[in-house]
């Protein structure tokens, strides 16, 4: 049985110095526990940096007890897991696929991984999502599989029958049918058909190169290319795609979290030598606490408000000279855009593989917007833009702008200031989400 408690339970336990009975702290809808019941609790704590200051993300508004009353089976959670309502998701524990969680109860600190309980379903749903997104270019269908996969990955219990998903809202009829089919047969016929289709599997193979999207993959297919090794002969590939081909084997691998930590430390050190006080951290899936990352998303600013200017070129030169960066493209810098960008490939000293690296430098004023945007995920970004729009704003990675003349009208060129992420969430009328709760 899964019991969700209010955060005050942990606070009071800490104050009292002992584990307190839970009944007074039950979240709405939770059944009463036996009088003498006390239990263990899990909370999440993913550290990160917000422009120089260490931010503690351990504060949660609820905590979850997993009480195994029936070995081998755990009751479904009677709560709404619909993610469209961002507010409803606040305080949920971080049970997403492969994320780093730390439990802290009564001063004991245990770091560990809470694995996905539903890989038997989510591996198939993820594969469908990948095929629809990167091969067939069907973003809408990709999104429905993606939403379902991410929702099921967060469940702290294993789905064994349709009874176990009855309480989960936001999963439509056809997705329910897909889940039922996987539970009954261990497979999804639609996926089997797609995988058996020679054209789909070739397009999937071509689109696995960094820099080749579904449209280009189709064009290359129509030109007669059938394998990645064929593409060396292809004409009209972008510089990015050439880099993608050169490092193909390495770039298709996920990056373990510890390697990203090492990369962050390395670049921080080099950056600090070049420009004292510079603030360098890694955002993206790493900051959301995921165990593996697709690339390394560096985000940089300087708290003095001016030393960030021209810093990227110096940093890239330095990282090239030390052998960290091996390849890449420097975007064209426009002062009005408040951002300077570099995309490339590099290798962390002491590690074997080449990795995709993005570096973005923002002004101090734009940093909170950039941090939220590049922490993602993209579904949250879409929700935030929509929330901003409802309040009469336009939101992007560089600022929050007042609109006049309605939705499609002009917007101010000056951003409304936001010192930090919390302020941005508040200004667009959303409750703050910890980075580890942003895998929507
Ligand atoms: N089309 C996009 C691309 C990116 N982003 C934002 C949200 C992402 O979380 C962040 C970083 O982009 P990545 O592509 O690096 O994605 P992640 O870091 O989230 O995942 P991965 O581990 O695959 O790199 O930028 C977005 O909103 N829309
Ligand atoms: Mn990333």
């Amino acid at each position: 049985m899964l019991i969700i408690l209010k955060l005050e339970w942990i606070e009071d336990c800490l104050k009292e110095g002992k584990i307190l009975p839970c009944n007074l702290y039950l979240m709405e809808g939770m059944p009463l526990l036996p009088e003498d019941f006390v239990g263990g609790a899990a909370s999440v704590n993913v550290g990160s940096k917000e422009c120089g200051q260490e931010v503690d993300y351990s504060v949660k508004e609820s905590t979850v007890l997993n009480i195994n009353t029936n070995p081998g089976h755990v009751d479904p959670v009677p709560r709404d897991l619909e993610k469209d309502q961002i507010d409803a998701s606040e305080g949920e524990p971080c049970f997403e696929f492969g994320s780093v969680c730390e439990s802290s109860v009564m001063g004991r600190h245990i770091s560990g991984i809470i694995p996905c309980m539903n890989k038997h379903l989510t591996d198939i749903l993820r594969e469908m999502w990948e095929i629809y997104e990167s091969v067939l270019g069907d973003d809408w269908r990709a999104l429905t599989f993606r939403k379902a996969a991410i929702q099921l990955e967060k469940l702290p219990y294993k789905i064994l029958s349709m009874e176990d998903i009855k309480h989960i809202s936001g999963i439509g009829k056809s997705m329910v049918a897909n889940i039922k089919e996987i539970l009954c047969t261990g497979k999804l016929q639609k996926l089997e058909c797609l995988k058996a289709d020679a054209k789909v599997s070739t397009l999937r193979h071509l689109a696995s190169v960094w820099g080749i999207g579904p449209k280009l993959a189709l064009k290359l297919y129509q030109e007669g290319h059938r394998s990645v090794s064929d593409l060396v002969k292809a004409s009209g590939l972008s510089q990015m795609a050439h880099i993608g081909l050169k490092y193909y084997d390495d770039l298709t691998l996920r990056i373990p979290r510890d390697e990203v930590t090492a990369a962050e430390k390395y670049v921080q050190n080099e950056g600090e030598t070049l420009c004292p006080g510079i603030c360098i951290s890694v955002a993206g899936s790493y900051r959301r606490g995921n165990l593996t990352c697709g690339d390394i998303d560096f985000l940089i600013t300087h708290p003095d408000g001016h030393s960030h200017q021209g810093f990227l070129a110096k940093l890239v030169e330095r990282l090239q000279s030390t052998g960290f960066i091996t390849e890449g493209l420097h975007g064209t810098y426009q002062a009005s855009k408040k951002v300077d960008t570099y995309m490339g490939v590099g290798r962390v000293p002491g590690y074997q593989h080449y990795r995709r690296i993005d570096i973005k430098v923002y002004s101090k004023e734009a940093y909170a917007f950039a941090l939220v945007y590049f922490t993602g995920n993209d579904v949250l970004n879409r929700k935030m833009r929509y929330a901003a729009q409802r309040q009469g704003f336009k939101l992007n990675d560089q600022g929050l702008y007042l609109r006049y003349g309605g939705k499609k009208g002009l917007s101010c060129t000056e951003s409304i200031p936001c010192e930090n992420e919390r302020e941005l969430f508040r200004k667009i009328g959303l409750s703050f989400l910890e980075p580890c709760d942003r895998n929507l």
Side-chain angles (χ1 to χ4, degrees), residues 289-306:
N290 293 11
L291 272 187
T292 64
C293 306
D295 60 1
I296 310 179
D297 301 297
F298 289 99
L299 204 55
I300 302 178
T301 192
H302 199 295
D304 72 6
H306 58 84

Side-chain angles (χ1 to χ4, degrees), residues 18 60-61 69 75 77 80 91 106 108 116 147 156 166 169 189 213 217 267 281 313 315 326 344 364 387 393 408 425:
K18 61 179 180 194
K60 305 289 291 176
E61 286 182 4
T69 50
D75 285 343
V77 195
D80 184 1
M106 303 302 302
R108 277 183 294 135
C116 170
K147 271 180 75 175
K166 210 163 73 181
S169 59
Q189 201 49 37
V267 177
S281 56
L315 180 69
T326 53
K364 178 182 149 204
F393 298 123
K408 293 242 159 87
F425 274 81

Side-chain angles (χ1 to χ4, degrees), residues 188-203:
L188 188 61
Q189 201 49 37
K190 264 184 246 168
L191 177 61
E192 297 304 312
C193 290
L194 285 168
K195 285 202 293 191
D197 186 305
K199 184 173 175 185
V200 170
S201 58
T202 306
L203 287 173

